[in-house]
Amino acid sequence: MKRVISIVLAAGLAVGVAVAILIGNGSEQASEQPTVRGVIGSEKQAFFADPAVRAAFAKHGLNVQVDPAGSRQIATSVDLARYDFAFPGSSPAADKIQQRRRITTRYSPFSTPMAIATFEPIAALLRDAGVVKKAPDGTSTFDVAAYLELAERKVRWDQLKGNTAYPVRKDVLVSTTDPRSSNSAAMYLSITSFVANGSAVVGDARSRARVLPLVGRLFHDQGYTENTSEGPFEDYLSVGMGQVPLVCVYEAQFVGRAVQGQIRPGMVLTYPVPTVISRHGLVPLRPAGDRVGRLLTSDPELQRLAARHGFRTADAARFAKVTAEHRVPVATNLIDVVDTPSYDALESLLAAVERGYGAGPS
């Protein structure tokens, strides 16, 4: 009997050792996956942190690690020598990186339009003021020209006719990120400067001087602003209307949080008229980064996951399916879309806005 027990124990021990070896080999193989490092616009941080996205890369033998930064910082001040790829939130920023690094390759796996997130009581006030309007498809638009008229006159919320929902002594202003570091603020500047310039893209010094007094104030009068787009959007989600009645966001942020069940009743997404499309361009800095760019562009699973995070991919049906499943009203046909200024023109305008900080009341 003792001999039988000994044999059984020995067999069990052998099986345990074999399982341990198999598990050990699996862990070793996982740890041996090459690490690919990238620097990304913060609006994509949730996407790269998603376990499903990490698993999709792992299937291709890649362990992708990312650091978030403001897209303007990525293009101008981040030490790119540490990374295999750079993935800012706009074409102008990607253009600058390519120019600096003399790289011709770029991948554009997805895009997202700029939007203004608000709350139904604020939307109702601004509908009465002619700023927010209902579109035929059930979405809401944000008339930038009408908004700039209010901003130019420094209209406060408590001065809006019939305002009992939000009678505060603050100027009617959209909250943004810091234009000195963040791409979403640069996209907002692209929109507002276009309208302030008589519906023309700002290009030369004369047009910059024409729009600067108004568009500069849109930023300076906000007070403190965050460096990345996640900051003000988190305030919108958690603090609410009292602090952030209007915030400039990427559409993808709103849709992605709706998929996660974090958009509450009464939260409203509006589309600026005109708007700009933020095209997320991945610039490969090394061969490993090139693999990431190719996979993001061509791998069906990664494209599906990008749509779940609110990004528009080459296959419009993916995005439509996600928004329909989660009942997120989004604009399917964006018609009034304008170009951003060239990188140099936008940088010159941003630099002029930057000089206005600390210059006293405008």
Side-chain angles (χ1 to χ4, degrees):
M1 182 66 178
K2 289 181 179 179
R3 178 176 175 79
V4 171
I5 293 173
S6 298
I7 292 171
V8 171
L9 289 173
L13 179 62
V15 171
V17 170
V19 170
I21 290 172
L22 286 172
I23 293 174
N25 285 344
S27 300
E28 187 176 332
Q29 288 172 1
S31 65
E32 287 177 354
Q33 286 185 341
T35 296
V36 185
R37 298 201 64 84
V39 58
I40 63 167
S42 66
E43 71 286 341
K44 294 182 285 290
Q45 189 170 5
F47 172 75
F48 279 96
D50 186 339
V53 171
R54 297 176 65 83
F57 279 121
K59 286 180 183 177
H60 295 277
L62 296 178
N63 175 25
V64 179
Q65 301 288 331
V66 296
D67 294 326
S71 292
R72 192 180 178 210
Q73 290 175 313
I74 296 173
T76 57
S77 60
V78 169
D79 179 11
L80 297 181
R82 301 166 48 204
Y83 298 104
D84 298 297
F85 66 91
F87 201 2
S90 72
S91 294
D95 287 342
K96 183 62 175 179
I97 295 166
Q98 288 182 281
Q99 180 184 334
R100 283 174 57 199
R101 305 286 297 209
R102 297 181 180 178
I103 295 170
T104 57
T105 304
R106 184 201 299 189
Y107 297 95
S108 298
F110 40 71
S111 64
T112 184
M114 302 309 298
I116 307 293
T118 186
F119 300 87
E120 181 51 41
I122 300 297
L125 281 174
L126 294 179
R127 276 194 287 271
D128 291 341
V131 176
V132 171
K133 300 169 184 175
K134 276 287 187 183
D137 61 2
T139 60
S140 294
T141 61
F142 186 92
D143 188 325
V144 177
Y147 162 67
L148 291 184
E149 287 181 13
L150 296 179
E152 190 165 26
R153 293 189 285 117
K154 292 194 171 185
V155 173
R156 298 193 312 263
W157 288 104
D158 64 351
Q159 293 174 327
L160 292 178
K161 186 177 179 180
N163 179 5
T164 58
Y166 191 68
V168 299
R169 293 179 60 83
K170 295 195 301 185
D171 289 351
V172 177
L173 285 174
V174 174
S175 296
T176 71
T177 48
D178 192 327
R180 293 167 289 189
S181 59
S182 173
N183 177 71
S184 60
M187 296 297 97
Y188 175 71
L189 179 59
S190 298
I191 295 168
T192 54
S193 64
F194 177 90
V195 176
N197 194 39
S199 297
V201 176
V202 170
D204 57 15
R206 181 178 297 178
S207 59
R208 288 196 300 272
R210 182 184 306 120
V211 304
L212 185 60
L214 175 55
V215 298
R217 189 195 307 155
L218 300 178
F219 296 101
H220 303 150
D221 289 358
Q222 290 183 57
Y224 173 77
T225 49
E226 300 271 3
N227 287 330
T228 64
S229 57
E230 282 301 295
F233 189 57
E234 285 296 335
D235 288 342
Y236 169 81
L237 293 173
S238 60
V239 181
M241 187 173 79
Q243 182 172 331
V244 192
L246 295 165
V247 61
C248 181
V249 299
Y250 297 100
E251 176 197 62
Q253 291 176 291
F254 195 96
V255 174
R257 294 305 182 96
V259 170
Q260 297 172 33
Q262 296 179 14
I263 298 299
R264 301 186 299 277
M267 290 181 167
V268 178
L269 187 68
T270 72
Y271 290 89
V273 178
T275 191
V276 297
I277 303 294
S278 184
R279 304 187 190 282
H280 297 256
L282 185 149
V283 180
L285 306 173
R286 296 191 182 96
D290 190 80
R291 283 194 67 195
V292 172
R294 282 189 282 112
L295 286 171
L296 284 172
T297 305
S298 61
D299 182 75
E301 177 65 4
L302 285 168
Q303 286 273 291
R304 183 187 71 81
L305 290 168
R308 280 190 60 80
H309 280 268
F311 294 104
R312 299 186 183 222
T313 65
D315 184 356
R318 286 193 183 100
F319 181 76
K321 181 180 179 182
V322 168
T323 55
E325 285 177 353
H326 296 275
R327 298 181 180 179
V328 188
V330 295
T332 53
N333 294 310
L334 291 166
I335 298 172
D336 200 346
V337 177
V338 299
D339 291 328
T340 60
S342 68
Y343 178 83
D344 290 336
L346 186 56
E347 275 298 300
S348 296
L349 186 55
L350 285 164
V353 171
E354 184 173 346
R355 287 192 293 271
Y357 282 93
S362 55

